[in-house]
Each structure stands twice: as C-alpha cells, then as structure tokens.
Amino acid sequence: MKHQKICVLSLLLLFFSSIGLAGKQSLGVFLASESNPLDVEKALKKDKIFSQFDITVFAQYKDFELAVAKVPFDIAILPSIYFKTSKDKAYSPGLQFTRKGEMHFRYQVFSMDKDWDIKRLGEGSIGFVEEIDRQQAKVLVKDLLDGKEFKRIKPVPRSQDLYPMLALGNSNYIMISPWVWESVKRDLVAEPNKVVTTLEIPYPQLGYLTKKGELAKGLKDFLAIGKDALEALGFDGIKGLEGK
C-alpha cells in the first residue's frame, strides 16, 4: 500500500510538471533606481510575459548577491556592468534595454565645491551606487574615465544617498546615471557642479543563468514585454545585443 501511494504521488508530480504546474521559473531584478521595489514587482506581475515567472525585485546589490548565493534566479535583469565584471560569470547577457532608441549611456560626475574639478580627480573620493563590489568598481571607474583614478571609492546602497553624501562633504565627487540624476535633482537645495561625463556603457540588460544555457533560447519572448512593464523598469524598449 505504501509503495502504491509513492507511485501515485510520482505520477501526479510528472503530470503537473508536464502541464507547467511544477513551479515557475524565477526572475531576479536589481537596478539602481528611485523606484520602490514592491511597486516595480507589482507592475511586472501584470505583464503577460513577466507573469509567467516568480519575480523578486531588489533595491540593493548585497541583497541580490545574498539571494543568488542561496538559490540563483533562472533569469535576471541587471546593470550591464554586473555582467561585464562578475568574477564567476554566473549570468550571461542576452537582451538589451534601451531609452529613446539608445543602447548606451554615460555616467555623470558632480562635485559640490568648484575647487574639486577634473584636474583634482586623483586627490579626491567618489561616491557611487553599489552595483558591483568595491574592487571591481575601482577598475570600472578608471576604465570609464579613460584612465583617471580616484584616491578612494565610496559605495552607497541606494541612489538617494548620493546627494546627501556630497552635500555633507563625505565625498568630493559622486558618479550617477542620468536617469537617476533627473529624479534626484528635483529636490536639491543647491545644485552641484558637473565635472565630467564618462565613456559610454550599455544600459541594463536581461540575461540567463550561464549554467542553464538552454534558457537562452527563450529570451526572445521578452521582446514582447509590454509598455507598462518597460516603464516600471525605467526603459522604453528592449532589443537583441549588438553582434548577436
């Protein structure tokens, strides 16, 4: 009798698996933005494509990393620098988000004191939203500024922390994406000085768990993401990667 119950249970599991009820694929989202993660999550779950996934949206890099260390997501939406600098290459990029048809953007560097200009970059500290670990960020900042280095890199967990860091003198410079800057500057008491813009870097990308290479075939479905879902993520388009 006991063996019969086990057999029946196994058959039921096979049946539910065959009709897609054994569990959804998972999707993790980490983007440095001003949006509330829960609001983004709700918006994505209303989308025809995203509704097929178990979705978790993260506001901070470390929270995403902790989650991935326990149970990796099948699909992930991440800053392009994550795909580029991740040591273990756990995720491979497949699709590119866009804004106004553009696939790339430039970070902007600001200072509060005019004395901290482009000539003094090497003497000062720079604050940035933590999207990768500190050591990787140091190399990335140098690459984006065409070889220029800062004395110290100061990561913050949220974009909302950047301006207070600069205003209070806890950092000589900040590096911020243009779309986050547009949101932040609305509430500024005093506008900082724009020092320099970086070299181009791709907008965030959608990728798959590298060890599950078969997932790459299904990424084309995401090209049908709806307008509202794209807007919730902060973009207006998605396309295949250049050269792929």
Side-chain angles (χ1 to χ4, degrees):
M1 187 70 177
K2 182 179 180 181
H3 292 296
Q4 287 179 329
K5 288 182 178 178
I6 293 174
C7 185
V8 171
L9 181 59
S10 298
L11 288 171
L12 285 171
L13 287 173
L14 285 171
F15 171 72
F16 286 131
S17 177
S18 69
I19 63 172
L21 297 178
K24 296 180 178 180
Q25 289 183 340
S26 57
L27 185 145
V29 180
F30 164 60
L31 297 174
S33 74
E34 297 288 290
S35 302
N36 183 305
L38 291 178
D39 292 339
V40 176
E41 201 169 299
K42 289 177 182 177
L44 296 185
K45 287 178 178 178
K46 293 178 181 178
D47 184 80
K48 182 179 179 180
I49 303 300
F50 283 120
S51 64
Q52 302 172 47
F53 293 81
D54 282 325
I55 303 171
T56 307
V57 179
F58 298 87
Q60 298 184 24
Y61 165 77
K62 288 182 178 177
D63 291 337
F64 175 79
E65 285 288 272
L66 286 172
V68 168
K70 294 177 181 177
V71 182
F73 297 99
D74 297 305
I75 304 295
I77 295 173
L78 300 164
S80 61
I81 56 175
Y82 186 100
F83 293 103
K84 181 180 179 180
T85 64
S86 176
K87 293 177 182 177
D88 58 6
K89 302 298 180 186
Y91 288 93
S92 299
L95 298 176
Q96 175 72 62
F97 288 100
T98 62
R99 291 173 187 271
K100 299 179 181 178
E102 296 292 329
M103 299 177 74
H104 299 80
F105 72 98
R106 298 172 187 267
Y107 284 104
Q108 301 174 57
V109 177
F110 293 92
S111 71
M112 189 59 74
D113 188 333
K114 289 184 178 179
D115 288 338
W116 288 104
D117 57 16
I118 192 170
K119 297 177 183 178
R120 296 186 65 188
L121 291 180
E123 302 173 36
S125 59
I126 185 167
F128 74 102
V129 179
E130 188 175 27
E131 296 178 306
I132 52 178
D133 72 39
R134 189 190 296 257
Q135 287 304 314
Q136 294 169 330
K138 193 171 183 179
V139 175
L140 178 74
V141 170
K142 183 179 178 180
D143 288 345
L144 288 176
L145 288 170
D146 202 19
K148 298 181 179 67
E149 293 186 83
F150 288 89
K151 187 175 182 180
R152 189 178 177 191
I153 300 285
K154 292 186 173 183
V156 295
R158 305 175 308 157
S159 56
Q160 297 96 319
D161 300 327
L162 281 175
Y163 179 74
M165 167 185 264
L166 190 65
L168 293 172
N170 294 327
S171 180
N172 306 116
Y173 305 91
I174 58 171
M175 186 172 82
I176 188 168
S177 64
W179 65 91
V180 173
W181 173 245
E182 286 300 313
S183 177
V184 168
K185 74 177 186 179
R186 290 197 296 262
D187 303 317
L188 298 186
V189 176
E191 188 165 335
N193 310 294
K194 187 174 179 179
V195 178
V196 67
T197 56
T198 70
L199 299 177
E200 285 189 337
I201 189 169
Y203 279 113
Q205 298 166 335
L206 185 148
Y208 60 93
L209 192 60
T210 304
K211 65 181 181 181
K212 291 187 177 182
E214 69 277 6
L215 293 172
K217 296 178 181 178
L219 294 187
K220 63 181 184 298
D221 294 340
F222 287 96
L223 294 173
I225 293 172
K227 180 182 176 182
D228 291 343
L230 283 170
E231 188 175 322
L233 291 167
F235 309 103
D236 56 26
I238 185 169
K239 59 174 63 176
L241 290 176
E242 293 177 330
K244 289 194 176 183

